[in-house]
Amino acid sequence: MGPSRGVGARRPPEMGVSRARLQSGVLGPGSLLGVRKGRRGAGSRASQMSCCNLMKSLTSAFPNMYRGSRFHHVTPVACCYSKTQSGEKYSDPFKLGWRDLKGLYEDIRKELFISTAELKEMSEYYFDGKGKAFRPIIVVLMARACNIHHNNSRNVQASQRAIALIAEMIHTASLVHDDVIDDASSRRGKHTVNKIWGEKKAVLAGDLILSAASIALARIGNTTVISILTQVIEDLVRGEFLQLGSKENENERFAHYLEKTFKKTASLIANSCKAVSVLGCPDPVVHEIAYQYGKNVGIAFQLIDDVLDFTSCSDQMGKPTSADLKLGLATGPVLFACQQFPEMNAMIMRRFSSPGDVDRARQYVLQSDGVQQTTYLAQRYCHEAVREISKLRPSPEREALIQLSEIVLTRDK
């Protein structure tokens, strides 16, 4: 991937969001990711109400997926967090998480012990230590937060650390398969597996990584955890099928998009968080807190990813921008823009396949407040994640998970 500030680097003032503001839910939609000159600011009451009305329709359409959600309240809801009382200071979430992840990629490569040289090279290709390790970081921080909440244990169990490895392996296998489906040529600033070795071999490499993850999961020996994480693989497949389809009705279209986002991105984070909570604490309430935190952060992560497809350059992202439009996908910024430019409906239904569709759609998005409204929606999901994790006992790891919600919103790649 291209050069970046790094997560721990000091951000310019316009990119920062204080934890207090995030925890209280008092976030103006225009406060993040910058606002392109000439576009309508997303801080307007109209933008917020449009987003809130959308959440109302989604809550009624998907009662199970959005149960307990309070996104549709316009008035910020007081958060139940309390500041860390232990006197301990937490550092950058990634530095804190890496305490338990030293040797992460070496250990994954051990799980991928393969005698065939070419297959070994393909399977290990993305485990080069250059990824963000966002999912493993969340998993080990959640493990510590739940352990401390349960019995003040300061250790991460070996089985909980194994979940972090398995989560990264499942994620990477899904990337290999996604690149085949999308016929992608670049990922993380280098050629994709399918570009180098061909599609057939890439599919097999992804399968092999998944099988190695399954073996590692079985070795943990907890049937509840096995059930939780195998749900992720089902969700990945169902999410991919959802992405291949489309909806004509506007409300159904957005619900379809968010359900796809949950299954393809957030399910892995949510269920990995739940798995480590099950291993560390017997309380079902804690399991639900862990799951809800992971779900909401995961959806926010993907919403911002969809924003960056319009606001970042290719060098920052490590892959081509406007990639989703070229694949015929209508993401959050497009769906919000369509409310202001109804002529985009026809382009969405034909999946931007006519000449000039991609460029026109991009211009419509940048002329609308689609980027800001998608960012605002991501903020609401992160606010809900903070509300959930704040129910746990104060700890440096809990505070780091709160800070991760800010990082999700302010990342630039």
Side-chain angles (χ1 to χ4, degrees):
M1 300 187 72
S4 172
R5 289 189 307 268
V7 174
R10 184 177 179 86
R11 285 184 297 273
E14 67 274 13
M15 293 291 289
V17 183
S18 71
R19 286 189 302 117
R21 292 178 69 209
L22 183 58
Q23 289 164 329
S24 67
V26 183
L27 282 171
S31 63
L32 300 176
L33 299 177
V35 178
R36 188 180 294 266
K37 287 184 178 180
R39 283 188 285 167
R40 183 157 59 92
S44 67
R45 182 75 169 178
S47 291
Q48 295 189 20
M49 286 303 297
S50 175
C51 188
C52 292
N53 289 335
L54 169 67
M55 292 310 300
K56 282 183 180 179
S57 66
L58 293 177
T59 303
S60 59
F62 287 86
N64 291 329
M65 187 172 175
Y66 297 98
R67 61 187 172 82
S69 171
R70 297 178 187 172
F71 295 155
H72 55 277
H73 289 295
V74 177
T75 305
V77 182
C79 196
C80 55
Y81 82 101
S82 60
K83 293 186 180 294
T84 301
Q85 301 297 323
S86 62
E88 294 180 76
K89 292 183 178 180
Y90 74 93
S91 57
D92 175 86
F94 285 77
K95 291 180 181 177
L96 194 61
W98 271 110
R99 293 184 308 177
D100 300 305
L101 293 176
K102 291 176 182 175
L104 169 71
Y105 295 106
E106 291 84 349
D107 290 343
I108 289 176
R109 286 194 288 270
K110 289 175 185 175
E111 297 288 346
L112 294 168
F113 183 74
I114 306 161
S115 56
T116 307
E118 184 180 39
L119 189 53
K120 178 180 174 65
E121 186 180 2
M122 292 168 62
S123 302
E124 295 180 354
Y125 184 66
Y126 286 135
F127 299 114
D128 55 6
K130 295 179 181 178
K132 295 184 289 289
F134 179 75
R135 290 152 191 84
I137 292 289
I138 286 184
V139 169
V140 293
L141 290 175
M142 182 61 73
R144 279 186 178 269
C146 291
N147 294 352
I148 291 169
H149 178 84
H150 174 52
N151 59 10
N152 210 29
S153 171
R154 298 283 159 168
N155 299 318
V156 169
Q157 301 171 23
S159 59
Q160 290 175 315
R161 185 180 183 276
I163 296 296
L165 272 68
I166 292 164
E168 186 70 357
M169 293 169 76
I170 293 174
H171 170 60
T172 302
S174 74
L175 296 184
V176 174
H177 284 157
D178 279 358
D179 287 343
V180 172
I181 293 169
D182 299 340
D183 192 27
S185 59
S186 63
R187 164 83 64 180
R188 296 178 179 174
K190 60 184 184 179
H191 290 309
T192 55
V193 173
N194 51 289
K195 181 75 172 178
I196 299 173
W197 287 282
E199 291 185 356
K200 293 179 180 179
K201 289 182 177 180
V203 169
L204 296 174
D207 290 346
L208 189 139
I209 297 169
L210 268 182
S211 69
S214 300
I215 292 169
L217 179 59
R219 201 160 53 237
I220 292 174
N222 185 305
T223 55
T224 301
V225 167
I226 291 171
S227 177
I228 289 169
L229 282 181
T230 51
Q231 179 64 47
V232 172
I233 299 174
E234 178 185 335
D235 284 345
L236 284 168
V237 174
R238 290 184 180 276
E240 197 63 54
F241 268 83
L242 285 169
Q243 184 164 290
L244 293 171
S246 59
K247 295 286 183 181
E248 190 164 353
N249 178 275
E250 186 176 317
N251 288 333
E252 285 184 7
R253 191 184 288 156
F254 219 112
H256 181 95
Y257 162 66
L258 285 179
E259 187 181 7
K260 180 270 297 181
T261 296
F262 169 75
K263 291 187 183 301
K264 283 201 65 178
T265 303
S267 175
L268 174 58
I269 301 173
N271 284 294
S272 299
C273 286
K274 183 176 181 179
V276 293
S277 74
V278 167
L279 290 168
C281 175
D283 187 354
V285 173
V286 174
H287 305 163
E288 184 66 11
I289 290 170
Y291 178 87
Q292 290 296 329
Y293 173 86
K295 181 191 83 170
N296 284 289
V297 164
I299 293 175
F301 185 95
Q302 186 59 49
L303 288 171
I304 295 301
D305 208 58
D306 294 342
V307 163
L308 291 174
D309 197 43
F310 288 94
T311 61
S312 286
C313 65
S314 297
D315 287 343
Q316 281 180 304
M317 292 292 285
K319 58 184 178 181
T321 51
S322 297
D324 292 328
L325 288 174
K326 293 169 186 173
L327 292 171
L329 304 179
T331 57
V334 173
L335 297 178
F336 277 122
C338 189
Q339 296 175 353
Q340 293 173 254
F341 298 98
E343 53 268 41
M344 294 181 70
N345 272 300
M347 287 189 279
I348 291 172
M349 291 310 299
R350 63 176 177 258
R351 299 179 74 88
F352 312 104
S353 58
S354 294
D357 275 1
V358 169
D359 289 337
R360 279 199 302 272
R362 180 178 175 83
Q363 287 306 310
Y364 279 135
V365 168
L366 297 180
Q367 290 168 22
S368 74
D369 62 1
V371 164
Q372 295 96 325
Q373 288 211 51
T374 306
T375 302
Y376 177 67
L377 185 58
Q379 291 171 356
R380 301 306 297 164
Y381 276 105
C382 281
H383 171 50
E384 188 71 4
V386 170
R387 183 209 303 278
E388 290 293 335
I389 199 64
S390 296
K391 296 172 184 176
L392 296 184
R393 178 185 297 181
S395 67
E397 286 74 18
R398 190 197 71 167
E399 295 298 303
L401 288 167
I402 290 172
Q403 190 184 7
L404 265 178
S405 299
E406 175 189 341
I407 292 170
V408 163
L409 293 172
T410 57
R411 68 193 181 93
D412 62 0
K413 68 174 185 175

